[in-house]
Amino acid sequence: MIKAVLVDDERPALRGLEFLLKKYPEILIIGMYTNPLKAIEEIGQLKPQVVFLDINMPQLRGIDAASSILDTSPDTDIVFVTAFDQYAIEAFELHALDYILKPITPHRLSKTVERVMQKKPIVQERGDRILQIKCLGCYKVAWENQEPIKWRAEKTKELFAYLLQNQGRDISKDELLDKLWEEDDPDKAIRQLYNGIYYIRKALEEYGVDRSLISISSNYNLKLGAVDYDVRRLYELERSNHADSLETLEEMEVIYTGEYLEGEDYQWAYFERENLGKLYQQCLIKLSRQYIEKKRFEKAESKLTKVYIKNPYEEIVTELLLKLYMETGEKSKAVRHFNSYSKLIKEDLGIKPNDKLYELYQSIK
């Protein structure tokens, strides 16, 4: 049974839609409103699966009402009903399930009901699966152990990545146009933005992703539910009360499978890529210290070598490697590393090792 709410400021239109929908035993009308403000207030408790909503109402524009409805009931589908078609683009930007022009014909309404019925079982079939969002290494959105979403275009894929990076905050239309379509004609850029949002929502819907997992508001605010998002998990661990525990650090290392949005040439992602890379390096350094304390020298050397390859100028890495080789009695390794490090910073930076490193090296020699 599909629970539906009808909203139209014209009572005859409301009754007419009710009459047409009562021919479908699958549809249960649980509320009818001529006042959209009252409808918004009660829909949060009713949690209907679909709302048939008039766009052109004097108290509140249907587009704005739909945005408020999705904020309070993100799993609800919106079907716009109106005598005017100039709102079509804006309606699809908000990701309406359908858009029906008045006067409504039984044939046209049957197509809408069919769409509602087709969508309902998708969520149920996917409900016990884990949706994974990977941005560290290969960028993809996929159900666990399934093929990932195939985006309609590269720009659609980039737009989703930008919304994801800025999840939880409202984003202005100007910001999106500036970041993703800076060199395009303004009118063309706006159309591409609207199309991009529409195709993101369409791709998520067709892949079976419920709005309780991923939703995008009319203010381009992307919100995540119970999904396995690697970047979010990495930050959660880094901010936790046990961030420096061995178990947490090891989990952080496992999560970081590659650079942020690796292989994607998104200029706006540069700083986040740098920040996450530094976080990963600090994680490896902390891990190596703990491994040295626990006499797990091979593991410590492995982590420090990884950091050295990524950032050979980090003095603490060379210091820890020299101390490790001192502990293990591997004098030749210490000498080779120090000489290699000294040559590198002289050629690249025109400097010598600091006094602390030099004294440590002398004590090993």
Side-chain angles (χ1 to χ4, degrees):
M1 187 71 71
I2 305 292
K3 295 187 294 182
V5 165
L6 317 184
V7 185
D8 195 315
D9 66 300
E10 298 179 354
R11 192 169 295 280
L14 201 63
R15 293 300 181 190
L17 180 57
E18 177 192 24
F19 174 77
L20 291 174
L21 285 172
K22 281 190 173 179
K23 296 181 180 180
Y24 296 92
E26 308 92 344
I27 303 292
L28 174 64
I29 298 173
I30 60 172
M32 294 172 56
Y33 302 89
T34 55
N35 185 338
L37 298 176
K38 185 178 180 183
I40 292 168
E41 182 181 341
E42 297 188 6
I43 281 172
Q45 284 76 44
L46 293 173
K47 302 293 182 186
Q49 286 150 301
V50 63
V51 173
F52 289 82
L53 180 64
D54 183 32
I55 285 185
N56 193 26
M57 295 181 288
Q59 305 98 322
L60 183 67
R61 283 200 327 152
I63 296 290
D64 297 327
S67 177
S68 298
I69 288 169
L70 292 177
D71 286 341
T72 59
S73 184
D75 293 342
T76 297
D77 285 315
I78 304 294
V79 174
F80 283 113
V81 183
T82 183
F84 306 94
D85 63 0
Q86 69 263 34
Y87 300 103
I89 292 177
E90 202 173 354
F92 280 120
E93 179 192 356
L94 194 65
H95 190 46
L97 180 68
D98 207 349
Y99 186 94
I100 309 176
L101 287 175
K102 297 178 180 178
I104 303 171
T105 65
H107 176 69
R108 180 62 184 85
L109 183 61
S110 69
K111 291 185 177 181
T112 297
V113 172
E114 184 178 347
R115 290 197 69 186
V116 174
M117 292 301 298
Q118 284 176 343
K119 186 181 176 185
K120 182 172 180 280
I122 292 175
V123 175
Q124 293 175 336
E125 291 167 6
R126 301 288 191 182
D128 57 345
R129 301 191 186 184
I130 297 173
L131 185 68
Q132 297 178 324
I133 302 177
K134 302 295 183 186
C135 288
L136 297 171
C138 180
Y139 165 40
K140 63 181 181 179
V141 180
W143 294 110
E144 189 176 21
N145 301 320
Q146 299 293 322
E147 287 296 312
I149 287 178
K150 290 181 172 59
W151 301 106
R152 179 182 175 88
E154 284 300 314
K155 212 62 180 179
T156 307
K157 180 181 178 183
E158 182 181 359
L159 175 58
F160 181 79
Y162 189 82
L163 297 177
L164 187 62
Q165 178 171 301
N166 293 278
Q167 61 165 305
R169 77 172 179 91
D170 292 349
I171 307 174
S172 70
K173 191 176 299 182
D174 288 340
E175 178 182 336
L176 290 169
L177 297 177
D178 181 60
K179 294 293 185 182
L180 279 74
W181 289 279
E182 183 180 9
E183 298 179 1
D184 288 3
D185 171 77
D187 290 338
K188 179 182 177 183
I190 289 174
R191 287 196 300 271
Q192 289 180 331
L193 171 58
Y194 288 171
N195 288 338
I197 294 294
Y198 171 71
Y199 285 119
I200 285 172
R201 287 167 166 157
K202 188 171 187 290
L204 293 172
E205 178 185 329
E206 290 178 349
Y207 194 67
V209 179
D210 186 58
R211 288 201 193 107
S212 63
L213 298 178
I214 301 177
S215 65
I216 304 173
S217 74
S218 58
N219 294 319
Y220 306 108
N221 187 335
L222 185 146
K223 296 180 181 179
L224 295 178
V227 302
D228 178 12
Y229 176 32
D230 54 2
V231 173
R232 180 171 68 178
R233 180 57 180 160
L234 193 69
Y235 279 130
E236 285 174 351
L237 291 170
E238 189 255 341
R239 294 165 184 156
S240 67
N241 294 329
H242 46 81
D244 291 335
S245 71
L246 182 61
E247 294 77 11
T248 298
L249 292 170
E250 287 179 334
E251 182 179 349
M252 290 174 70
E253 185 193 11
V254 169
I255 291 171
Y256 193 96
T257 56
E259 287 190 340
Y260 178 65
L261 297 174
E262 192 169 89
E264 306 295 344
D265 187 24
Y266 303 153
Q267 295 299 312
W268 49 264
Y270 173 79
F271 289 109
E272 183 71 354
R273 184 177 292 142
E274 288 291 302
N275 289 336
L276 287 165
K278 289 176 182 177
L279 176 60
Y280 174 59
Q281 291 172 32
Q282 289 303 311
C283 167
L284 293 179
I285 290 170
K286 290 177 182 179
L287 264 179
S288 68
R289 289 182 185 276
Q290 295 211 27
Y291 287 144
I292 290 172
E293 289 178 6
K294 297 178 182 297
K295 307 297 183 184
R296 297 164 68 177
F297 298 122
E298 286 188 12
K299 277 185 170 291
E301 183 181 12
S302 171
K303 307 312 172 191
L304 290 170
T305 300
K306 281 185 180 181
V307 183
Y308 187 77
I309 291 171
K310 287 183 173 291
N311 183 11
Y313 310 112
E314 187 70 59
E315 293 176 343
I316 188 61
V317 176
T318 288
E319 179 184 334
L320 288 171
L321 278 169
L322 293 179
K323 287 180 177 179
L324 185 151
Y325 295 140
M326 185 185 297
E327 283 275 351
T328 58
E330 296 175 286
K331 177 181 175 180
S332 60
K333 275 190 175 183
V335 171
R336 283 198 304 273
H337 178 80
F338 184 82
N339 289 338
S340 173
Y341 171 75
S342 300
K343 180 181 178 182
L344 177 74
I345 62 173
K346 181 180 180 180
E347 291 177 350
D348 291 359
L349 307 177
I351 60 175
K352 296 180 180 180
N354 64 38
D355 292 342
K356 185 177 182 180
L357 285 178
Y358 189 75
E359 290 173 5
L360 185 58
Y361 170 67
Q362 288 296 103
S363 68
I364 296 173
K365 283 180 65 180

